[in-house]
Amino acid sequence: MFLIITIIIIILFTLTHISHSAVNRHNTTVVSDNHHVLKLPLHHINPLQSPSDAISSDTARLSVLLATLHRLPNLPLTSGAYAGAGQYFVTLHLGTPPQPLLLIADTGSDLIWVTCSACRNDCAATRPPHSSFLVRHSDSYSLHHCFDRACKLVPQPRPNRGACKPTRLHSPCRYEYSYADGSITSGFFAKETTSFNSSTGKLLQHDSLAFGCGFKISGPSVSGPSFNGAQGIMGLGRGPISFVTQLGHRFGNKFSYCLKDYTIAPPPTSYLMIGNVATAGKSKMLYTPLKTNPISSTFYYIGIKDVYVDNVKLPISPSVWDIDELGNGGTIVDSGTTLTFIPESAYRHVLAAFRRRVKLPAPAGSPANFDLCYNVSGISRRLSLPRLRFKLVGNSAFSPPVGNYFIDTSEDVKCLALQPVASTGGFSVIGNLMQQGFLFEFDIERSQLGFSRTGCSKS
């Protein structure tokens, strides 16, 4: 709910910690009273040290996503909190009075969870402000019962760690989630009030947001430097306990985001918008159906039919994009993965097509883990590189600009930002770098994904 230069929608989204009544258009959660839109500024915080580091983080993310996908058929929970895989942050105001908490926003997971503390007095003396949710400082905190229907939607701890037992009629619901690297988050599955600043300055509240209150957080994925100081995860997946599903009835069961070019200095503000957004770009929105996977309700799958390079259709079998009866394969749109991953056989055809068309020298000492790099030094004219296009189910076409898939790995060196998926049962991923500059609209009620090249500049 978590392949190569990782930027999100797992998805990281950040908001500056603000007062609960002030309204600032750059650093404030804003709800439009007329259009029922929740608008959250997104910021890329910590750039990657090198392209190779990005590949390592993305590969780690894919392994976690794939492992979780096949763990339990009825577990709607996958997380992108690992090895710096998420790169956009969002602030969630939780409790009464509201406490601001910095979370990783991840379209590849469902569960909302935060680091919790039972501290009652002098909490600032033992921990930095807003480093965890102070349960005893909220008047609206409550627990899900062990036998609540909602309790079955989160992974349970083992029997010797407090799992539900028939003899415990009043025991609280506990959750426990382990990551591939041995990291763990566990605690109580609780209910709280979350708050948003409206466009009029009025504080709006949403009651009974279900979330994991984590009292045990350990391991590099969720507590080390790669977690970048976040206090938890905001799951934006399609499952029943995600942030967008829980608030769906209030905001039209849809959300959208624009990921601006993070290489620009200073980086422009990106936005996550919950609700039906009215922008000029929506008139040019293209749509493709969201597909379903028999073993996962979390991921946003789309269908790819064909791939073109410079308007030439590549000889790729359509079957390589299919989801089989075991839930293997398919293509997901993920804000928490940076680069784009496609099946090995498709990747080889794309690679060959670019090599035939581009006759530039390879750089000395090409960057590790990139199969196609060019030395572009001394090119005085405007560099022209082949155009990549994906034909999608529904007769729409996704045509990203060249900068979304050819990246600068060092001075005068450009590399193809695609990677092959070679693992058995692996799926393709359209990463956030490929998504930059587009308005993406996830319409859960209609089960469709919209995208517009012009809408992002208007958000």
Side-chain angles (χ1 to χ4, degrees):
M1 307 170 141
F2 304 105
L3 280 137
I4 169 173
I5 299 176
T6 86
I7 293 176
I8 117 340
I9 13 196
I10 262 38
I11 279 231
L12 306 178
F13 300 66
T14 186
L15 284 175
T16 304
H17 292 154
I18 56 176
S19 70
H20 302 128
S21 59
V23 175
N24 180 296
R25 63 177 178 172
H26 295 298
N27 295 314
T28 305
T29 301
V30 176
V31 176
S32 167
D33 300 324
N34 296 324
H35 300 290
H36 304 290
V37 175
L38 173 61
K39 188 174 183 179
L40 307 173
L42 312 177
H43 299 278
H44 182 67
I45 296 181
N46 297 318
L48 294 164
Q49 297 300 311
S50 73
S52 295
D53 291 341
I55 293 174
S56 299
S57 293
D58 277 354
T59 302
R61 175 176 176 84
L62 286 183
S63 66
V64 172
L65 290 173
L66 184 61
T68 306
L69 174 67
H70 292 285
R71 184 175 295 138
L72 285 174
N74 295 321
L75 178 62
L77 187 119
T78 54
S79 180
Y82 58 84
Q87 287 119 352
Y88 288 90
F89 291 84
V90 62
T91 293
L92 178 68
H93 291 81
L94 201 62
T96 306
Q99 301 176 37
L101 298 163
L102 195 64
L103 307 184
I104 295 172
D106 189 6
T107 60
S109 68
D110 290 337
L111 180 68
I112 307 161
W113 68 265
V114 302
T115 301
C116 283
S117 169
C119 176
R120 184 187 299 274
N121 300 313
D122 299 323
C123 298
T126 58
R127 57 181 50 78
H130 312 304
S131 61
S132 59
F133 177 61
L134 304 177
V135 172
R136 292 178 174 176
H137 288 212
S138 174
D139 295 332
S140 51
Y141 176 81
S142 63
L143 295 171
H144 278 289
H145 189 275
C146 189
F147 297 105
D148 285 351
R149 181 181 301 177
C151 192
K152 296 180 175 153
L153 299 175
V154 292
Q156 303 291 306
R158 293 191 292 272
N160 62 342
R161 293 185 178 180
C164 289
K165 296 180 179 179
T167 56
R168 294 180 179 176
L169 298 179
H170 303 288
S171 63
C173 177
R174 297 174 183 266
Y175 81 95
E176 180 178 283
Y177 186 72
S178 300
Y179 295 88
D181 67 349
S183 298
I184 187 172
T185 169
S186 64
F188 298 107
F189 195 45
K191 294 176 283 187
E192 254 299 5
T193 294
T194 184
S195 306
F196 313 106
N197 291 319
S198 73
S199 56
T200 61
K202 179 182 177 182
L203 192 66
L204 303 180
Q205 292 184 334
H206 177 82
D207 295 328
S208 297
L209 183 74
F211 74 105
C213 195
F215 285 96
K216 181 179 180 182
I217 312 293
S218 63
S221 290
V222 293
S223 63
S226 63
F227 205 54
N228 294 315
Q231 286 84 54
I233 296 286
M234 177 185 285
L236 298 171
R238 299 176 73 181
I241 57 175
S242 79
F243 185 77
V244 293
T245 302
Q246 292 191 57
L247 272 66
H249 68 280
R250 186 171 183 178
F251 295 99
N253 293 307
K254 66 174 61 175
F255 72 98
S256 58
Y257 59 65
C258 286
L259 301 181
K260 304 294 183 68
D261 187 349
Y262 73 97
T263 64
I264 299 174
T269 301
S270 297
Y271 291 97
L272 167 68
M273 293 156 285
I274 312 295
N276 188 24
V277 181
T279 68
K282 289 196 68 173
S283 63
K284 298 182 180 180
M285 190 82 77
L286 301 175
Y287 292 93
T288 187
L290 289 171
K291 306 183 72 175
T292 58
N293 187 323
I295 69 168
S296 173
S297 63
T298 296
F299 302 134
Y300 295 97
Y301 284 90
I302 61 171
I304 295 177
K305 296 178 67 175
D306 298 300
V307 180
Y308 294 78
V309 173
D310 279 348
N311 292 321
V312 176
K313 180 180 174 180
L314 302 185
I316 300 171
S317 171
S319 63
V320 305
W321 310 106
D322 292 341
I323 303 173
D324 66 22
E325 65 278 3
L326 299 177
N328 300 316
T331 302
I332 69 171
V333 177
D334 183 19
S335 64
T337 300
T338 302
L339 299 191
T340 289
F341 287 69
I342 60 177
E344 175 91 32
S345 58
Y347 175 75
R348 296 302 166 193
H349 282 295
V350 172
L351 209 61
F354 279 114
R355 283 174 171 159
R356 286 194 300 268
R357 288 166 173 78
V358 183
K359 303 302 180 183
L360 292 172
S366 294
N369 299 317
F370 287 94
D371 293 319
L372 185 61
C373 295
Y374 294 113
N375 182 345
V376 297
S377 63
I379 298 179
S380 56
R381 59 181 175 82
R382 180 170 176 154
L383 179 64
S384 178
L385 292 169
R387 299 302 301 264
L388 181 66
R389 178 163 59 95
F390 297 92
K391 184 178 179 181
L392 307 179
V393 174
N395 293 321
S396 61
F398 178 58
S399 304
V402 171
N404 285 23
Y405 52 90
F406 266 104
I407 60 173
D408 297 317
T409 58
S410 61
E411 185 177 2
D412 296 328
V413 175
K414 286 187 178 292
C415 295
L416 181 64
L418 298 178
Q419 289 287 299
V421 179
S423 60
T424 302
F427 44 72
S428 303
V429 179
I430 304 297
N432 53 35
L433 184 62
M434 191 72 81
Q435 300 173 41
Q436 283 188 4
F438 287 83
L439 170 66
F440 277 86
E441 179 188 82
F442 297 76
D443 191 331
I444 299 171
E445 186 170 307
R446 292 181 173 85
S447 193
Q448 64 182 12
L449 174 71
F451 54 95
S452 168
R453 180 74 171 127
T454 59
C456 203
S457 62
K458 305 292 184 181
S459 66

